[in-house]
């Protein structure tokens, strides 16, 4: 009964952007300026001093110099409810534009909470998150999520056609003279931006890029083939590749000067060959990439590695430099992975960079 009530209440919510348009609003109250749950409770009261970022992170961030930043997180505090412990504690980080960054840490360190803050799944109660200079807390959730293209850990597909799974449940805007359909994707309501129109040819090029085009061609109807709920009529590997294709199409529809790409270890259910292909693809993207790596195999190919610990950015540096320092958290994580046999091929050396 409670679930049914929540579905009913959710269905009655007014659309965020529609409500703002009706009020003639231009901006929203910044997320970090007002605790979403009201006044803090007792022992969980918000600390009055910043802090939690760790000396290693701060030193590494300042060493990046004046390079333009694609992502800046400044003293971000996050918890899932006013009575629960903090999961991000003064998280601060600065990522230069175009960099490929691996996010690592022990279970429960705050890696997923970092992603929750980026995607505005929960409001952070202090601090600021800026993507290409724009504050994520001062815009609608929909607008914020257009700036963060996410490839999530669970490869989720829907009971719809392949095309709708890739582009969303939109109807064709127009038909070209040769009959190719064009679809609206990833744009604000009422927008007319040309880059939001995606042709079938573009879809096929992306499917070829992720090596799933042949599988789609074998389906009855090809792009119009119907997938079952959760993609039950395709293999786990094909689900992962279709989700990667969806993320790449969303990135192509976005403005490359305002968006970043975030992946949350989207290769857990696929074989090593497909795993390598996914990493080859995201490391070759001409945009800023942050990848949460629960396994360390591919970390040496990234430009930078961030070690998350106790909800803070505890270390930020190149994989080679941190691996060469036996006192670093990253070196200790690697040593632990080697002992457990979890490092695997591709992470045997400590070098970094050169992956794109």
């Amino acid at each position: 009964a409670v679930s049914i009530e929540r579905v009913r209440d959710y269905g009655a919510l007014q659309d965020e952007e529609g409500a703002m348009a009706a009020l003639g609003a231009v901006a929203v109250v910044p997320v970090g300026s007002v605790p979403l749950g009201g006044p803090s409770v007792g022992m969980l009261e918000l600390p009055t001093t910043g802090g939690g970022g760790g000396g290693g992170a701060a030193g590494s961030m300042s060493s990046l110099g004046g390079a333009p930043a694609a992502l800046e997180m400044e003293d971000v505090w996050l918890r899932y409810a006013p009575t629960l412990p903090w999961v991000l504690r003064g998280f601060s980080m600065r990522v230069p534009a175009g960099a490929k960054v691996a996010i690592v840490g022990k279970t429960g360190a705050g890696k997923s909470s970092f992603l929750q803050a980026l995607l505005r799944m929960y409001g952070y109660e202090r601090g600021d998150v800026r993507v290409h200079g724009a504050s994520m807390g001062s815009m609608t959730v929909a607008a914020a999520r257009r700036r963060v293209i996410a490839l999530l850990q669970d490869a989720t597909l829907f009971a719809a056609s392949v095309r709708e799974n890739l582009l969303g449940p939109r109807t064709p805007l127009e038909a070209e003279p040769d009959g190719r359909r064009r679809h609206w994707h990833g744009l604000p309501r009422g927008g007319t931006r040309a880059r939001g129109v995606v042709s079938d040819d573009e879809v096929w090029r992306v499917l070829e890029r992720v090596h799933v085009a042949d599988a789609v061609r074998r389906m009855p109807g090809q792009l119009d083939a119907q997938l079952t709920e959760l993609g039950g009529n395709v293999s786990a590997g094909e689900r992962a590749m279709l989700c990667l294709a969806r993320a790449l199409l969303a990135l192509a529809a976005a403005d490359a000067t305002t968006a970043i790409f975030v992946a949350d270890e989207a290769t857990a259910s696929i074989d090593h060959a497909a795993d390598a292909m996914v990493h080859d693809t995201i490391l070759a993207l001409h945009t800023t990439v942050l990848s949460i790596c629960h396994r360390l195999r591919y970390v040496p190919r990234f430009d930078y590695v961030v070690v998350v610990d106790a909800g803070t950015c505890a270390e930020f540096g190149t994989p080679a430099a941190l691996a060469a320092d036996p006192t670093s958290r990253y070196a200790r994580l690697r040593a632990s992975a080697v002992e457990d046999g979890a490092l695997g091929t591709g992470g045997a050396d400590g070098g970094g960079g050169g992956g794109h």
Side-chain angles (χ1 to χ4, degrees):
V2 174
S3 298
I4 294 173
E5 289 176 358
R6 287 180 177 175
V7 169
R8 181 198 63 193
D9 293 343
Y10 181 80
L13 288 175
Q14 187 173 5
D15 174 79
E16 183 185 29
E17 291 184 342
M20 291 180 65
L23 293 171
V26 176
V28 295
V29 176
V31 166
S33 64
V34 179
L36 299 185
S40 299
V41 179
M43 62 181 294
L44 293 176
E45 185 174 357
L46 187 68
T48 57
T49 58
S60 297
M61 284 188 292
S62 63
S63 68
L64 296 177
L71 172 66
E72 296 169 281
M73 299 182 71
E74 183 178 347
D75 195 27
V76 174
W77 291 79
L78 170 69
R79 56 186 170 184
Y80 297 135
T83 56
L84 293 179
W86 300 103
V87 291
L88 293 183
R89 305 176 59 85
F91 196 103
S92 298
M93 178 174 70
R94 183 177 183 274
V95 176
K100 308 298 185 285
V101 181
I103 312 292
V104 303
K106 296 179 180 179
T107 301
K111 300 186 299 297
S112 295
S113 299
F114 157 82
L115 182 59
Q116 302 274 20
L118 275 185
L119 293 176
R120 291 275 302 274
M121 300 298 291
Y122 296 89
Y124 39 93
E125 296 186 29
R126 169 180 285 180
D128 195 15
V129 177
R130 294 183 294 275
V131 174
H132 289 286
S135 174
M136 300 284 276
S138 298
M139 60 182 73
T140 66
V141 172
R145 290 179 185 170
R146 281 192 289 270
R147 291 176 172 265
V148 181
I149 308 302
L151 179 62
L152 301 180
Q153 190 170 15
D154 295 328
T156 302
L157 298 175
F158 307 95
S161 69
V162 173
R163 181 185 281 106
E164 288 174 313
N165 269 280
L166 295 175
L167 300 178
R170 310 286 186 176
T171 56
L173 283 181
E174 59 180 300
E176 293 184 355
D178 60 2
R180 289 178 301 168
R181 288 186 289 180
R182 300 172 70 85
H183 285 70
W184 200 253
H185 176 64
L187 295 180
R189 289 178 179 82
T192 57
R193 195 171 46 171
R195 72 165 53 244
V197 180
V198 182
S199 71
D200 282 3
D201 285 348
E202 293 171 282
V203 173
W204 282 113
R205 281 195 293 271
V206 171
L207 293 176
E208 293 280 2
R209 184 176 180 181
V210 301
H211 304 287
V212 78
D214 288 344
V216 174
R217 289 191 182 98
R218 289 193 296 268
M219 298 178 183
Q222 299 188 357
L223 292 180
D224 291 318
Q226 293 296 306
L227 301 180
T228 60
E229 191 69 33
L230 302 180
N233 56 339
V234 296
S235 69
E238 288 168 347
R239 284 197 297 272
M241 295 304 103
L242 286 170
C243 289
L244 175 58
R246 178 168 59 202
L248 295 179
L249 286 165
L251 184 63
D255 186 343
T257 64
T258 62
I260 61 176
F261 188 93
V262 180
D264 182 9
E265 191 67 285
T267 59
S269 61
I270 58 179
D271 59 32
H272 289 306
D275 187 5
M277 190 278 294
V278 170
H279 281 87
D280 288 345
T281 300
I282 65 175
L283 286 169
L285 293 175
H286 297 294
T287 191
T288 306
V289 172
L290 296 97
S291 180
I292 297 176
C293 298
H294 301 284
R295 297 171 293 185
L296 304 183
R297 180 181 300 116
Y298 294 98
V299 171
R301 297 181 59 188
F302 287 79
D303 299 317
Y304 300 100
V305 58
V306 169
V307 180
V308 180
D309 187 27
T312 71
C313 177
E315 284 182 343
F316 189 119
T318 65
L322 292 181
D325 179 2
T327 66
S328 74
R329 289 176 172 84
Y330 174 61
R332 293 198 294 270
L333 283 173
R334 282 178 53 84
S336 177
V338 170
E339 291 177 3
D340 295 339
L343 194 57
T345 58
D349 60 3
H356 56 283

